Amino acid sequence: VCSSDLTVQLPDDLARQPNPARAALEAFAIEGYRSGAFSAFRTRQLLGFETRSELDGFLKRHEVWDHAYSVEDLEKDRAGFERQA
């Protein structure tokens, strides 16, 4: 898996939050998932969740309902499970 660093300049009020890096990552993941740019599998990876139920709980807490679990999501999850086995 290839990874990259990203530097983001935050306004002072946002930077003073308890964990601004995590808050920015979560906002990025939520928007990517809502827009359909990220599958459920990719969103789970980005946020570091081990299971789909962790992601579902996170999305529910953030009131994200508009991205249905697709056949593509199922295939990516299945492929991910096979790589882990």
Side-chain angles (χ1 to χ4, degrees):
V1 174
C2 182
S3 66
S4 297
D5 291 328
L6 174 68
T7 302
V8 177
Q9 297 239 329
L10 298 173
D12 289 340
D13 61 326
L14 294 177
R16 285 189 290 270
Q17 290 185 7
N19 190 346
R22 181 66 188 189
L25 177 66
E26 288 179 358
F28 177 67
I30 287 169
E31 183 54 35
Y33 185 77
R34 275 189 178 136
S35 71
F38 300 155
S39 67
F41 179 73
R42 177 62 68 203
T43 305
R44 274 192 320 113
Q45 286 182 317
L46 184 62
L47 294 171
F49 296 146
E50 294 291 324
T51 66
R52 175 62 196 228
S53 63
E54 286 178 283
L55 176 62
D56 289 344
F58 170 83
L59 294 172
K60 184 177 180 181
R61 286 189 303 279
H62 290 86
E63 299 182 358
V64 178
W65 316 108
D66 56 15
H67 181 85
Y69 190 69
S70 69
V71 172
E72 178 182 295
D73 292 332
L74 175 64
E75 287 300 316
K76 287 180 180 177
D77 284 345
R78 183 189 58 73
F81 291 138
E82 287 177 359
R83 282 192 302 273
Q84 292 176 3

Short mmCIF file of all heavy atoms in Angstrom, two decimals, residues 17 64 70 73:
data_model
loop_
_atom_site.label_atom_id
_atom_site.label_comp_id
_atom_site.label_asym_id
_atom_site.label_seq_id
_atom_site.Cartn_x
_atom_site.Cartn_y
_atom_site.Cartn_z
N GLN A 17 -8.77 22.90 18.09
CA GLN A 17 -9.60 21.76 18.49
C GLN A 17 -8.71 20.68 19.08
O GLN A 17 -7.50 20.64 18.82
CB GLN A 17 -10.35 21.20 17.28
CG GLN A 17 -11.43 22.11 16.76
CD GLN A 17 -12.21 21.47 15.64
OE1 GLN A 17 -12.05 20.30 15.32
NE2 GLN A 17 -13.08 22.24 15.02
N VAL A 64 -24.62 10.47 8.11
CA VAL A 64 -24.35 10.24 6.70
C VAL A 64 -25.21 9.05 6.27
O VAL A 64 -24.97 7.92 6.69
CB VAL A 64 -22.86 9.94 6.45
CG1 VAL A 64 -22.61 9.66 4.98
CG2 VAL A 64 -22.00 11.09 6.93
N SER A 70 -22.96 -0.47 -2.36
CA SER A 70 -23.13 -0.92 -3.74
C SER A 70 -22.47 -2.28 -3.97
O SER A 70 -21.72 -2.78 -3.13
CB SER A 70 -22.51 0.10 -4.70
OG SER A 70 -21.10 0.09 -4.55
N ASP A 73 -18.85 -1.78 -3.74
CA ASP A 73 -18.38 -1.80 -2.35
C ASP A 73 -18.22 -3.24 -1.86
O ASP A 73 -17.23 -3.58 -1.21
CB ASP A 73 -19.36 -1.07 -1.42
CG ASP A 73 -19.40 0.43 -1.67
OD1 ASP A 73 -18.39 1.00 -2.12
OD2 ASP A 73 -20.46 1.02 -1.39
#
